[in-house]
Amino acid sequence: MLSTTPPEAANVHVLRWVDSVVKHCTPDTVLWCDGSAEEKAEVLKRGVADGTFIQLNQKKWPGCYYHRSNSNDVARTEHLTFICTPSKDLAGPTNNWMNDQDAYAKLRGLFAGCMKGRTMYVIPFLMGVPGSKLAKVGVQLTDSLYVVANMAVMTRMGNLAFDELKQDRSFTRCVHSLGDVNPERRYICHFPQDNTIWSFGSGYGGNALLGKKCMALRIASYLARQQDWMAEHMLLMGVRSPEGEKSYLAAAFPSACGKTNFAMLIPPKKYKDAGWEVTTVGDDIVWMWVDEASGKLRAINPEAGYFGVVPGTNSKSNPNAMACIRKDTIFTNVALVPLEDGTYDVWWEDGDWPAPAKAIDWQGHEWTPNAPGKAAHPNSRFTAPSTNNPVLDPAYNDPEGVRVSAIVFGGRRSRTIPLVYQAFNWIHGVYIGATIGSETTAAATGQQGVVRRDPMAMLPFIGYNIRDYLVHWFQMRKKMVDCPRIFMVNWFRKNDQGKFVWPGFGENMRVLKWIIDRCNGRAYARETVLGWMPRAQDIDLDGINVSPEELQSLESVTPEDVKAEIMSQEELFLKLAGDLPKEMIFQRELLITRL
Ligand code: OXD
Ligand code: MN
């Protein structure tokens, strides 16, 4: 239960630090969270009382609540996100940088007295499986009840964090205030050298749930380099063959390219009937390390829930996500539908249900199907516990993690990039990952539909200099006796008529099977300029509307396409000029010589 006194097990360094932040932010009340189910109910009840949440119709949506964020605060704001270090070189050319002392001074000013009249919640949480060698403790101080309710889903929250931390000093210090939710005074500042995050002025997603992008990616990536592990923007899935062979894949796709859909893939009937099973370990973040005994790469999902994009989620695109959100879920910025009995339903574009005659849109305005705007914000989200997932992998809670057989990179590209190909080796694979391009979507503010280079899908999430990050990737190979095979996929290629050729979703199983067979030395591939590619007959097309010729066209690249791709990578290479690891230059040269 929420308590005005810290638990007995509270760490002395946490107590001192909380004290100092309380003195600075001057909340009226300080409440400690223990992470219990009773507490969650209390938080939601408080949220309904103060207008943070609206309870949904409990028959249709048991345990589900609705929240509408400020309309100026609906996505991660990368231009207001900073890596704060003594020198700019530590943050590198792809991050916004602020001198750490200047950032502290600026934010100290904003945080001073900012919680007057408010309650500060103390949220101890664990990222990672309890007992795992990579599990990391964070403590977030926040004046947002919405953040408390979301952290309770997205992290392993509560006193177990103190059990894990004991009296150690090494926890991530996360300070968050909504402030006045003004983009003019919005800063998401990371101090990797101090294991500290200060976030002011936003209550949305990755800006405010500090365990996720801020800690489990930006701060963790910095720690991972120092400690010889990897923190990546990846999903993690298991595939079990009819013979009982289990393989795990980690896949990095830029934001809103279907990581959640892929992680929860349902095999086509034919595959299911034959005994194939796909299970989810995680859908957004993966922490990986080299197991000393076997010399192989192992991985855990540090999160405990899903923060998924809602529009487009339906029983066809992702039936397992639909199952995940049927109970105990928080919906943010979808449309709200008042029902006759005074309760509320929710609705979103491209979901399962026809548009209601009337709804309240994500901005709180009355909406009808003729209204010019969308009812649900394109980046509206669900927050659902992992344990709701009907295909949650049994190893989700295993501190030993799972062995990674393949690393898959992907992007949203209407041209050039084939449906699937395999890197020649790890170093070539790192080059492929480092040069991922993807057409931008609504997950971050800014222009949509332009190709953005997004190395390892980590561009907004690398907590230090990208040069050192890429070197770290190259170096990790040397620590492994055997390494995962690396692949590139693109579900989004279009034909000359502008239509998607590959059906995607569950049918991606067919590509997955080729990937797994390649990892186990079973499938054929031909050597091409880009890498190892399947021939049309190597991908099962039985039962889908894709001809061998169409598959061939999905795999084809002309030398002109490759030249244009190399030229368009130039933007990234120029940004890194002087900082490019030599392997990147060599790989580009090798690609050119293969033309
Ligand atoms: C996310 C993102 O919210 O990548 O997961 O933007
Ligand atoms: Mn993500």
Side-chain angles (χ1 to χ4, degrees), residues 212-213 233 255 259 284 461:
K212 191 173 178 62
K213 304 296 187 184
H233 189 203
S255 300
K259 280 211 311 294
D284 196 41
F461 307 122

Side-chain angles (χ1 to χ4, degrees), residues 258-277:
K259 280 211 311 294
T260 306
N261 289 350
F262 192 50
M264 297 181 185
L265 178 150
I266 295 188
K269 183 169 180 325
K270 162 180 163 183
Y271 284 77
K272 253 204 316 216
D273 290 350
W276 288 91
E277 274 175 22

